[in-house]
Amino acid sequence: MVTRACRRTWALPSARSERLTKERVGRIIGLIGKKAGIVVRNEDERTGTRTKFASVHDIRRGCAQRLINAGVSAETLKVVMRHADFATTEKHYGATRSAQAAASEVRQKLATPATTDAIMGGHEKTPQLSAAELSKLKRLLNSI
């Protein structure tokens, strides 16, 4: 019989403990996240949510995010994430892809010297940014 104390430990199973099921692996990873202090969401007394530590699902989401950052197509991501329907992939990762595509376009436009302001229809010269403003903008774009 598996005791409560045994369920709470994240040691590998022995002949007398639980088998490594998906649920057990999930609990082990969750306990590792808690023990490491990796906070995914802070406690909010106003809404009544507790502190959430890293879990298997957070690792899955992080993997998907890295694949998107590497330029993997949404169709490939659907297969890797094992979503039955493309709409699920689009719902969870489509907005991220759009934001990254927009950031990439802005970064590309900033890298090439412009002589006219595209926003103003080419009628006025592009205002020059100071070194500090340009550095701040580059840091912001790289963080996306």
Side-chain angles (χ1 to χ4, degrees):
M1 178 175 180
V2 178
T3 66
R4 254 186 163 169
C6 181
R7 277 191 207 122
R8 275 184 263 161
T9 111
W10 49 275
L12 291 175
S14 65
R16 294 169 40 170
S17 66
E18 290 184 61
R19 293 182 40 202
L20 276 179
T21 62
K22 289 188 304 185
E23 292 78 17
R24 177 139 172 91
V25 170
R27 282 195 311 264
I28 290 169
I29 291 173
L31 288 168
I32 291 170
K34 186 173 185 174
K35 189 170 183 127
I38 303 170
V39 176
V40 176
R41 183 183 60 232
N42 287 314
E43 180 179 9
D44 186 352
E45 291 178 13
R46 187 177 49 84
T47 61
T49 56
R50 298 182 303 178
T51 301
K52 182 183 183 305
F53 295 96
S55 67
V56 172
H57 199 75
D58 296 311
I59 293 172
R60 176 180 165 86
R61 239 182 278 125
C63 175
Q65 192 63 52
R66 283 174 178 75
L67 291 173
I68 288 170
N69 291 344
V72 169
S73 72
E75 293 79 17
T76 302
L77 186 62
K78 173 198 174 281
V79 173
V80 171
M81 299 305 289
R82 297 183 343 204
H83 290 152
D85 187 9
F86 182 74
T88 305
T89 308
E90 188 64 26
K91 180 173 92 176
H92 292 288
Y93 303 105
T96 302
R97 170 69 90 181
S98 299
Q100 288 178 339
S104 177
E105 180 183 347
V106 169
R107 187 180 299 124
Q108 180 183 9
K109 297 289 183 187
L110 288 176
T112 57
T115 57
T116 60
D117 188 355
I119 296 173
M120 299 301 290
H123 298 294
E124 296 179 19
K125 290 210 173 227
T126 304
Q128 295 297 315
L129 296 175
S130 70
E133 290 172 322
L134 187 58
S135 176
K136 185 176 180 181
L137 186 57
K138 283 182 179 180
R139 276 195 311 273
L140 176 66
L141 289 172
N142 286 329
S143 71
I144 297 177

